[in-house]
Amino acid sequence: MASLVETRGLTAFYGDFQAVFGVDIRLEVGETIAVIGANGAGKSTLMRSLAGVIANSAEMVLHRGEPIGALGAPDVVRRGIALVPEGRRLFPSLTVEENLLIGSYGRQVVAGPWTLESIYALFPILKERRRNPATALSGGQQQMVAIGRALMSNPDVLLCDELNLGLAPVVIKDIYAAFAKIKASGAAIIIVEQDIVQALKVADRIYCMMEGRITLTGRPSELDRADIHAAYFGAGTHELA
């Protein structure tokens, strides 16, 4: 049976600069994986490739066994893969509710658990602030809007790129607490994280990247700090099934 999402020898470029080299990852139904690594490791490039923001060869990215690497972002969203981008990328001229509604436009015919009301149940503060300009909210509340916007497409894959950048620990805790409900809705999740401890808490499996390559794979219960430190900072390559 095909994985929900899989990359096969994925390479990705920004212009003439190659950022990802032959990356193989897989995501199964109902699973959460975390991609960890330092700045410049290629994590965000990987996520942008999965989301169709960066075009690749079709066979380098598979969704339910079908090649999608050459599809653009709108078509990837229609297939059920939604990105919460690094930096949130909200529309400053729109309200919270308008930003959320934009997320539903790409998959209007898809029924699912996520509606305005279910997003407001997940993040109650957004209902209180729904008429406010989205960028007038705190950083944590803006991140909730970005997650809610992605969920409004009722994806089966949610891609979360660096959710915790610039946020206070208590806010990060609240955001990650929502992941149990997101998984319970049926969505599988890929998280990009620099915070190793947070990644180990939420992930079923870990991929570590350095300089555009996978340097470690495994389940949190199988990995020790020495393995992770070596893979993160560069003392060899390790693979744990």
Side-chain angles (χ1 to χ4, degrees):
M1 184 176 179
S3 297
L4 182 55
V5 170
E6 183 179 1
T7 67
R8 294 181 178 176
L10 177 68
T11 61
F13 293 81
Y14 286 112
D16 294 331
F17 174 74
Q18 186 169 356
V20 173
F21 300 80
V23 165
D24 296 330
I25 69 168
R26 72 181 193 278
L27 175 72
E28 307 299 342
V29 173
E31 189 177 37
T32 296
I33 64 172
V35 182
I36 63 174
N39 280 334
K43 307 182 304 296
S44 291
T45 303
L46 170 62
M47 297 290 268
R48 289 164 64 85
S49 295
L50 294 174
V53 178
I54 296 175
N56 301 96
S57 297
E59 69 279 0
M60 287 185 178
V61 182
L62 304 177
H63 177 232
R64 300 186 183 275
E66 298 183 13
I68 65 165
L71 296 182
D75 289 325
V76 172
V77 170
R78 291 186 191 102
R79 287 194 63 94
I81 301 173
L83 173 67
V84 183
E86 181 181 357
R88 300 180 282 273
R89 307 280 181 97
L90 302 180
F91 293 93
S93 63
L94 302 182
T95 66
V96 166
E97 189 159 295
E98 288 167 340
N99 269 275
L100 292 173
L101 288 170
I102 282 175
S104 67
Y105 293 158
R107 291 191 92 197
Q108 287 180 345
V109 299
V110 177
W114 297 107
T115 63
L116 276 178
E117 287 310 310
S118 58
I119 297 297
Y120 290 149
L122 185 67
F123 299 123
I125 189 64
L126 298 187
K127 187 170 186 177
E128 295 177 26
R129 305 291 173 84
R130 64 187 183 278
R131 305 301 181 201
N132 292 21
T135 51
L137 274 58
S138 69
Q141 291 164 1
Q142 289 185 41
Q143 192 63 274
M144 294 173 188
V145 176
I147 294 169
R149 179 180 62 190
L151 290 174
M152 284 288 288
S153 68
N154 279 292
D156 54 20
V157 179
L158 183 67
L159 309 174
C160 299
D161 193 1
E162 300 281 16
L163 294 182
N164 62 6
L165 285 182
L167 302 183
V170 65
V171 177
I172 295 167
K173 182 179 178 181
D174 288 344
I175 288 173
Y176 271 97
F179 275 58
K181 293 180 180 178
I182 295 171
K183 284 190 70 173
S185 77
I189 305 170
I190 302 179
I191 302 167
V192 159
E193 262 292 355
Q194 291 188 51
D195 185 335
I196 296 171
V197 174
Q198 183 65 64
L200 292 172
K201 285 181 181 177
V202 300
D204 298 302
R205 287 187 297 112
I206 299 285
Y207 291 89
C208 185
M209 292 187 71
M210 186 180 66
E211 297 179 350
R213 295 175 172 85
I214 300 295
T215 53
L216 177 78
T217 69
R219 299 185 181 279
S221 61
E222 301 167 337
L223 305 178
D224 61 32
R225 290 186 180 275
D227 291 323
I228 296 171
H229 187 277
Y232 200 104
F233 296 106
T237 299
H238 309 262
E239 281 210 26
L240 300 176

